Amino acid sequence: MNFQETYRQMNEHIGPSPELIRKTLSHTRRRRAPLRRLAAIAAAAALVLATPALAVRTEPGYQLLYRLSPAAAQFFQPVRESCTDQGVTLEVLGVRVERDTAQAYLTLSGGPVDATTDLFDSYSFHLPFDQSGHCERVAWDAETRTATFLCTVQTLDGSTIPTGGKMTFSVRQLLTGKEAWEGAAVDLNLADHAREAETTQGYSSHEEDAVPMLLPGEVLTEPAEGIAITAAGYADGVFHVQARLGDILRTDNHCWLWLEDTVGTRVEPDRGVYFHSDTDAPGADVYEDFLFDISPEELADCTLHGDFYTAPTLTEGLWRVTFPLENSAS
């Protein structure tokens, strides 16, 4: 069965159930405003399904059609292997398909693109089947200032990827100019903080319930731009060091802290606890406590160290390419 026939069979039975019609009509007897909204939504959906080839030419139309029928959206989405926005070009370099896996080499060039370019988890795979995928930077050409990424998707059930289909890959944010300070000594006298500290509630990746973490205070030291130590002390017999990761939605600030004794032996944290300000707002901060099972006597002989990472440049836009799911030369 070819793709066109499969698409027809998938969509020819689309329609509201009798129960849905009954519930909708019963609501309209009580309220008129919802009926108008429902009618507008239904009209938009009907228009998209009636003219899918036109719908996919706009971003809202494509997104609506994809929610209604991924197979239809991908069937009518035209092949476009290059896209430029904000002075940055995304281009398909080559595609490889084998059984349940498809891989595409994509390049980014122009604008702020550099050797540290990160897609900031803002990428999406649009396919007419359930899948999981990931993307990683694999090469940097300094002469042409081109970054190459390898994007990989696999069918969730392990079935063979259907022939004749298309994949759409999109990106909305690019992080560039990333900086790293690794193995840095942190200017903080730990012995000055070998006491109980004020606490609030945070969350651990290992526990569902809220757990104690330090109440943020004034900056004690700033080991890297945008990353500050805002508290240190004991809570329930466990030593905490707190890092404030500033404006995390735009900088991807993150760090890892550890202690070292007098002979350089590392003492790793047992776990981390965090809480955040409103992460939907610009300038949102995340506070993360690193927890150490260490006594005050042992702490007196230790120093604080860490790896710190930040990216000062966030570029927002929409880069989207669509290409056949078939092997191509690169």
Side-chain angles (χ1 to χ4, degrees), residues 2-329:
N2 60 30
F3 184 77
Q4 289 88 341
E5 180 65 18
T6 300
Y7 164 69
R8 184 187 64 78
Q9 290 190 10
M10 289 175 62
N11 290 279
E12 64 183 357
H13 302 298
I14 292 178
S17 66
E19 179 64 14
L20 177 59
I21 293 174
R22 184 190 65 76
K23 290 182 178 179
T24 300
L25 291 176
S26 67
H27 286 311
T28 63
R29 297 189 186 101
R30 294 191 299 269
R31 295 177 296 179
R32 292 186 178 183
L35 173 60
R36 289 195 295 270
R37 288 196 294 270
L38 181 62
I41 294 171
L47 181 61
V48 165
L49 288 174
T51 58
L54 294 177
V56 296
R57 296 184 183 181
T58 67
E59 179 65 12
Y62 172 72
Q63 294 296 341
L64 178 57
L65 182 59
Y66 188 82
R67 286 195 292 270
L68 293 172
S69 173
Q74 292 311 111
F75 176 75
F76 287 104
Q77 180 74 343
V79 171
R80 185 186 182 190
E81 299 192 356
S82 179
C83 174
T84 300
D85 192 11
Q86 306 296 319
V88 176
T89 297
L90 174 67
E91 188 169 6
V92 181
L93 189 64
V95 181
R96 174 179 172 270
V97 180
E98 184 175 352
R99 295 189 296 275
D100 66 340
T101 302
Q103 292 184 307
Y105 283 94
L106 307 174
T107 62
L108 279 171
S109 59
V113 172
D114 62 12
T116 70
T117 299
D118 190 319
L119 304 185
F120 205 21
D121 291 335
S122 70
Y123 56 84
S124 300
F125 297 94
H126 286 189
L127 291 157
F129 52 82
D130 292 334
Q131 43 75 31
S132 63
H134 64 276
C135 192
E136 57 182 325
R137 188 179 65 251
V138 294
W140 165 250
D141 187 323
E143 183 176 350
T144 62
R145 298 192 61 79
T146 299
T148 301
F149 292 81
L150 175 60
C151 300
T152 303
V153 293
Q154 290 181 298
T155 57
L156 278 183
D157 59 4
S159 60
T160 299
I161 290 178
T163 59
K166 287 176 284 189
M167 180 169 91
T168 295
F169 178 82
S170 63
V171 180
R172 292 187 175 273
Q173 294 180 318
L174 304 177
L175 270 180
T176 54
K178 295 180 74 173
E179 299 178 272
W181 297 266
E182 298 181 329
V186 179
D187 184 18
L188 185 69
N189 188 345
L190 298 177
D192 292 343
H193 302 277
R195 59 181 183 273
E196 288 293 311
E198 292 185 89
T199 62
T200 182
Q201 296 297 309
Y203 295 88
S204 169
S205 58
H206 302 290
E207 302 176 35
E208 293 184 1
D209 297 329
V211 293
M213 70 176 296
L214 302 190
L215 187 68
E218 296 184 358
V219 173
L220 301 175
T221 184
E222 190 170 1
E225 184 176 354
I227 302 177
I229 304 301
T230 50
Y234 279 89
D236 294 340
V238 177
F239 185 67
H240 294 227
V241 180
Q242 182 181 93
R244 185 187 69 202
L245 310 174
D247 199 7
I248 196 167
L249 293 182
R250 297 189 61 86
T251 63
D252 193 31
N253 284 338
H254 58 283
C255 68
W256 179 257
L257 301 178
W258 67 89
L259 310 179
E260 289 187 12
D261 63 19
T262 54
V263 296
T265 302
R266 287 175 59 140
V267 180
E268 302 289 351
D270 295 317
R271 58 192 172 114
V273 183
Y274 66 92
F275 76 95
H276 53 76
S277 57
D278 184 1
T279 53
D280 291 330
D285 297 334
V286 167
Y287 294 85
E288 183 172 10
D289 278 19
F290 294 83
L291 279 58
F292 300 88
D293 185 12
I294 189 171
S295 69
E297 292 75 22
E298 295 172 305
L299 183 66
D301 294 326
C302 290
T303 52
L304 181 63
H305 301 259
D307 294 333
F308 305 93
Y309 306 90
T310 186
T313 304
L314 176 68
T315 303
E316 298 182 287
L318 176 59
W319 298 268
R320 187 169 69 194
V321 290
T322 301
F323 48 91
L325 281 173
E326 57 188 32
N327 292 326
S328 64

